[in-house]
């Protein structure tokens, strides 16, 4: 409250005379607009190219406006349904489905475990709880490269090689480190007295979880779901190493068609596929709003 | 939802252990994949493995070979150049954006949303998009030719000496919104009286930011730097999508060498050695930071009694 009040009083641009004030306002908005253009331009350029015929793009490149009479949405349809990627001509729909089948279960599972673990590590005291929290948190910092060979071996032993289930497994286990960290740091702020009172009333572990922790959890669940969904959807290395061909997630599929330097390019269709790959995390981002930022600050600084 | 051991009725002893039992799967998993996998990879790096794992001890020759290979030394050098420019660039752009937004501008939410969205999309999408823009066959150069400037040249991405800067620019584009968000949160926590006092002294706004506001939030800069260094060390997808490490080895980074050694060249011991080096680099950044924050917290605690 106090902070907001001082901020109200203090307007940095209101210093100096009227003319200076107007110039500085102009500079600020000019700079903001310029930066906004730089940030938006790449995506806008690619978006426009999903509507242009191929010979047009080959001739003038990506940075040109589409001509109204040749604009078409058919490249989107092609990218979704009939485009050939790595031998199969089913478009990105198949890889899209793979990504969803990987991301949704892994997000849900890791979030559920994170809630329980976070609750336990913040509200129950037992021997080595600090060490255990440290161990789980260490997973946040592990470089993927250290786990590639062991995971490949473990997935092989479990019969999960080259399967979406294998990716769900890996992402769930690794994701638990993040979700536990987030949830534990969030639940720490729930007063211990609340838990104590409930215990005196005879509530046990699960009852406290259901009646006290879960009702207070929505904000951290949103943060965790956003973080996990975007992270897993966007992941590339595991998808590429642990799956191949038709079982790959969308990120690997994009590299498979756009990275191969040989063959005829279909820039418009590829552009549509790239935009499609960006859409789910963007939706989550726009809907998530402030929770996305909150997740960032939590994930980064704590 | 119903728990098998409802502790108001169940046996006292078992219900006391419920938290530990619920936590146990995670602890076992973490022990295996954090500790076990690390030791495993560490062991492979000193083993006889080539195409397939062979767990007999071999010694540190793979590390020597790794550091003797030009590909790896270039990759490490690239990491230093890319890492420092990426971190500095991201901090500078992030600070500028945060200070601009801090000027009580209208539509703050919209500006923030625009600057931060690159972070939501994958490195693969980011890299692919920017490759099209930077590549002379599809991007800026062709557009300039088309506009009549036939002598225009913009081929950094295919130039051995300049391609790395393309990765830096793209990296900054992707991460500067993140720096902006954290720095802005810091700016909002600065005491307004401090600024007012400086204003009364007649200091100009840029000067106030430089001398008063930004120095007070330096711990945020440290935190952002540490996170960005982590991103830099782990950089992989962005380079794969943007340049595939080329031209030649011009933009190769350590993570790319790991993948190549393990899955393309059948040198998994040497690949594991390279992975260990990535872990070492991360530890060199994170351990001092952890020690430092721990020390700060203790100092805080002592001050508050």
């Amino acid at each position: 409250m106090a902070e907001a009040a001082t901020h109200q009083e203090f307007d940095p641009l209101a210093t100096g005379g009227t003319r200076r004030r107007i110039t500085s306002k102009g500079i600020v908005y000019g700079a903001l607009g310029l930066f906004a253009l730089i940030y938006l331009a790449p995506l806008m350029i690619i978006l426009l190219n999903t509507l242009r015929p191929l010979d047009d793009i080959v001739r003038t490149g990506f940075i040109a406006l589409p001509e109204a009479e040749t604009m078409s949405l058919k490249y989107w349809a092609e990218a979704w349904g009939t485009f050939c990627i790595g031998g199969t001509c089913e478009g990105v729909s198949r890889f899209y489905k793979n990504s969803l089948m990987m991301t949704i279960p892994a997000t849900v599972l890791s979030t559920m475990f994170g809630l329980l673990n976070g609750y336990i590590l913040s509200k129950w005291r037992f021997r080595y709880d600090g060490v255990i929290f440290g161990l789980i948190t260490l997973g946040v910092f592990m470089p993927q490269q250290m786990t590639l060979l062991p995971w490949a071996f473990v997935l092989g032993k479990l019969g999960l090689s080259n399967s979406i289930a294998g990716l769900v497994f890996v992402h769930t286990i690794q994701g638990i480190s993040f979700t536990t960290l987030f949830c534990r740091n969030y639940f720490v702020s729930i007063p211990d007295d609340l838990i104590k009172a409930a215990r005196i009333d005879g509530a046990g572990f699960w009852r406290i979880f259901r009646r006290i922790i879960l009702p207070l959890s929505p904000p951290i669940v949103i943060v965790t779901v956003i973080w996990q969904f975007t992270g897993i959807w966007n992941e590339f290395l595991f998808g590429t190493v642990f799956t191949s061909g038709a079982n790959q997630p969308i990120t690997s599929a994009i590299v498979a068609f756009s990275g191969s330097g040989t063959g005829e390019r279909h820039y418009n269709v590829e552009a549509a596929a790239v935009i499609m790959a960006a859409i789910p995390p963007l939706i989550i981002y726009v809907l998530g709003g402030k929770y996305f930022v909150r997740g960032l600050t939590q994930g980064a600084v704590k | 939802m119903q728990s098998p051991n409802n502790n108001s009725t169940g046996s006292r002893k078992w219900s006391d252990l419920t938290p530990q039992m619920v936590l146990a799967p995670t602890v076992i998993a973490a022990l295996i994949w954090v500790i076990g996998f690390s030791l495993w990879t560490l062991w492979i790096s000193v083993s006889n493995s080539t195409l397939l794992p062979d767990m007999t001890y071999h010694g540190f020759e793979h590390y020597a070979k790794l550091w003797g290979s030009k590909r790896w030394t270039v990759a490490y050098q690239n990491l230093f150049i890319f890492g420092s420019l990426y971190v500095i660039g991201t901090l500078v752009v992030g600070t500028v954006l945060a200070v601009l937004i801090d000027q009580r501008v209208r539509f703050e939410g919209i500006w923030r949303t625009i600057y931060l969205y690159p972070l939501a999309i994958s490195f693969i999408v980011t890299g692919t998009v920017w490759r099209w823009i930077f590549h002379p066959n599809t991007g800026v150069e062709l557009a300039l030719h088309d506009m009549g400037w036939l002598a225009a040249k913009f081929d950094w991405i295919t130039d051995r000496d300049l391609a790395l800067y393309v990765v830096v620019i793209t990296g900054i584009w992707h991460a500067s919104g993140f720096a902006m968000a954290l720095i802005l949160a810091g700016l909002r926590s600065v005491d307004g009286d401090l600024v007012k006092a400086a204003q009364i002294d007649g200091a100009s706004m840029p000067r106030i930011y430089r001398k008063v506001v930004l120095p007070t939030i330096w711990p945020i800069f440290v935190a952002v730097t540490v996170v960005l260094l982590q991103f830099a060390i782990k950089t992989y997808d962005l380079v794969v999508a943007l340049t595939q490490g080329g031209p030649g080895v011009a933009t190769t980074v350590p993570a790319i060498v790991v993948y190549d050694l393990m899955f393309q060249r059948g040198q998994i011991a040497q690949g594991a050695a390279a992975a260990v080096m990535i872990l070492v680099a991360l530890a060199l950044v994170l351990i001092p930071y952890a020690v430092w924050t721990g020390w700060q917290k203790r100092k805080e605690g002592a001050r508050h009694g």
Side-chain angles (χ1 to χ4, degrees):
Chain A
M1 286 291 257
E3 190 193 321
T6 50
H7 249 281
Q8 284 272 299
E9 279 168 52
F10 165 61
D11 183 353
L13 293 185
T15 55
T18 318
R19 181 179 295 178
R20 197 175 133 194
R21 203 180 312 164
I22 290 168
T23 347
S24 36
K25 281 259 183 221
I27 292 171
V28 166
Y29 283 104
L32 284 172
L34 190 68
F35 274 111
L37 195 69
I38 295 170
Y39 281 83
L40 288 174
L43 212 62
M44 291 303 126
I45 289 170
I46 304 308
L47 194 59
L48 288 178
N49 279 280
T50 62
L51 306 173
R52 297 173 66 200
L54 184 61
D55 55 341
D56 211 18
I57 304 179
V58 170
R59 191 161 37 82
T60 61
F62 275 81
I63 307 173
L65 286 173
E67 289 157 23
E69 61 269 25
T70 57
M71 275 193 341
S72 163
L73 277 171
K74 69 177 181 208
Y75 312 113
W76 279 77
E78 198 180 322
W80 181 254
T82 57
F83 184 43
C84 297
I85 302 165
T88 47
C89 297
E90 297 173 45
V92 297
S93 55
R94 157 169 227 136
F95 304 97
Y96 220 75
K97 214 176 77 197
N98 288 345
S99 271
L100 285 174
M101 300 282 286
M102 162 182 80
T103 309
I104 294 171
T107 301
V108 171
L109 287 172
S110 60
T111 302
M112 277 165 39
F113 274 104
L115 282 170
L116 279 171
N117 294 342
Y119 158 55
I120 294 167
L121 287 167
S122 61
K123 294 296 165 225
W124 294 83
R125 292 279 153 270
F126 45 88
R127 231 135 70 95
Y128 307 122
D129 52 357
V131 179
I132 289 171
F133 180 57
L135 170 74
I136 297 172
T137 319
L138 216 54
V140 168
F141 304 104
M142 275 280 277
Q144 287 178 303
Q145 285 75 18
M146 285 297 284
T147 65
L148 282 176
L149 295 172
W151 271 132
F153 177 82
V154 169
L155 291 178
K157 283 277 165 215
L158 294 174
L160 294 174
S161 294
N162 194 15
S163 74
I164 295 300
L167 288 177
V168 170
F169 184 68
V170 173
H171 283 305
T172 301
I173 290 194
Q174 300 222 21
I176 287 174
S177 283
F178 281 96
T179 56
T180 302
L181 175 70
F182 284 2
C183 294
R184 186 260 179 196
N185 285 346
Y186 183 77
F187 292 150
V188 156
S189 61
I190 297 175
D192 284 336
D193 292 343
L194 216 60
I195 311 291
K196 236 181 261 169
R199 288 190 80 177
I200 291 166
D201 288 345
F205 177 84
W206 292 105
R207 208 180 156 80
I208 295 173
F209 182 66
R210 274 206 312 273
R211 293 292 169 82
I212 299 176
I213 302 290
L214 274 187
L216 292 169
S217 304
I220 197 62
V221 170
I222 297 172
V223 168
T224 310
V225 165
I226 291 174
W227 181 272
Q228 288 298 98
F229 187 94
T230 26
I232 298 171
W233 179 276
N234 288 340
E235 203 278 334
F236 168 69
L237 182 60
F238 285 165
T240 303
V241 173
F242 302 142
T243 58
S244 60
N247 290 328
Q248 293 200 309
I250 183 83
T251 45
S252 309
I254 286 181
V255 171
F257 69 68
S258 79
S260 62
T262 53
E264 202 188 333
R265 307 312 303 266
H266 300 275
Y267 293 122
N268 42 13
V269 180
E270 292 177 15
V274 164
I275 296 286
M276 285 177 191
I279 286 174
L282 277 179
I283 291 175
I284 295 264
Y285 168 65
V286 172
L287 290 183
K290 64 177 180 181
Y291 291 103
F292 186 85
V293 180
R294 203 182 291 174
L296 276 184
T297 25
Q298 291 220 338
V301 186
K302 296 225 170 163
Chain B
M1 271 319 225
Q2 199 60 43
S3 89
N5 40 7
N6 205 327
N7 36 0
S8 51
T9 52
S11 98
R12 191 77 224 155
K13 205 158 182 99
W14 279 108
S15 63
D16 280 350
L17 286 174
T18 311
Q20 285 95 321
M21 273 163 34
V22 175
L23 196 61
T26 303
V27 176
I28 294 165
L31 273 175
I32 292 172
W33 86 268
V34 178
I35 306 293
F37 282 13
S38 296
L39 294 175
W40 190 337
T41 303
L42 200 65
W43 181 255
I44 286 179
S45 75
V46 293
S47 75
N48 251 329
S49 312
T50 47
L51 189 61
L52 293 167
D54 170 353
M55 291 311 209
T56 48
Y57 180 73
H58 182 75
F60 285 82
E61 198 190 312
H62 299 298
Y63 287 88
K65 268 204 192 132
L66 182 70
W67 282 101
S69 75
K70 185 164 170 276
R71 212 174 137 69
W72 175 256
T73 43
V74 168
Y76 226 77
Q77 207 178 321
N78 282 344
L79 176 59
F80 273 96
I81 300 170
F82 165 73
S84 36
L85 291 177
Y86 163 76
V87 170
I88 294 169
T90 304
L91 282 176
V92 169
V93 176
T95 308
V96 169
L97 291 174
V99 169
L100 286 173
I101 291 183
D102 199 33
Q103 306 308 304
R104 303 226 303 134
V105 293
R106 288 159 70 98
F107 315 118
E108 184 190 313
I110 294 175
W111 299 117
R112 286 168 61 138
T113 308
I114 292 173
Y115 302 145
L116 196 56
Y117 92 84
L119 204 71
I121 59 179
S122 61
F123 281 123
I124 296 300
V125 168
T126 305
T128 308
V129 166
W130 281 95
R131 171 159 45 84
W132 283 330
I133 292 173
F134 275 115
H135 204 283
N137 289 344
T138 51
V140 176
E141 185 177 306
L142 190 60
L144 292 174
H145 290 179
D146 197 48
M147 279 155 54
W149 185 11
L150 294 176
K153 220 166 137 54
F154 186 64
D155 56 356
W156 288 18
I157 198 167
T158 54
D159 185 321
R160 274 165 192 280
D161 298 323
L162 297 171
L164 193 59
Y165 301 109
V166 169
V167 184
V168 172
I169 293 170
T170 311
I172 294 174
W173 181 82
H174 189 261
S176 45
F178 160 75
M180 177 272 297
L182 293 190
I183 294 168
L184 186 59
L187 291 177
R188 293 283 149 86
S189 69
V190 171
D191 185 2
D193 291 342
L194 214 65
V195 182
K196 258 187 274 171
Q199 255 179 330
I200 290 162
D201 287 347
S204 66
M205 271 328 286
R207 209 181 138 80
I208 292 175
Y209 271 103
R210 230 178 35 243
K211 299 277 177 184
V212 182
V213 179
L214 293 178
T216 53
I217 59 163
W218 65 271
I220 299 230
F221 286 97
V222 177
V224 177
T225 303
V226 168
V227 177
L228 291 175
L229 281 174
Q230 245 197 95
F231 285 172
I233 293 168
K234 291 175 175 173
T235 296
Y236 175 71
D237 338 11
L238 181 64
V239 179
V240 169
L242 196 57
T243 62
Q244 298 197 295
V249 289
T251 55
T252 296
V253 287
I256 288 191
V257 179
V258 173
Y259 179 84
D260 257 30
L261 286 170
M262 282 183 182
F263 303 105
Q264 307 280 1
R265 302 183 182 211
Q267 304 269 0
I268 65 173
Q270 208 176 317
V276 171
M277 294 321 298
I278 292 181
L279 184 69
V280 169
L282 276 176
L284 286 178
V285 172
L286 289 172
I287 292 174
Y289 180 66
V291 170
W292 178 75
T293 40
W295 178 69
Q296 289 275 315
K297 263 191 198 136
R298 209 163 334 133
K299 218 170 62 175
E300 284 273 298
R303 203 182 306 149
H304 293 302

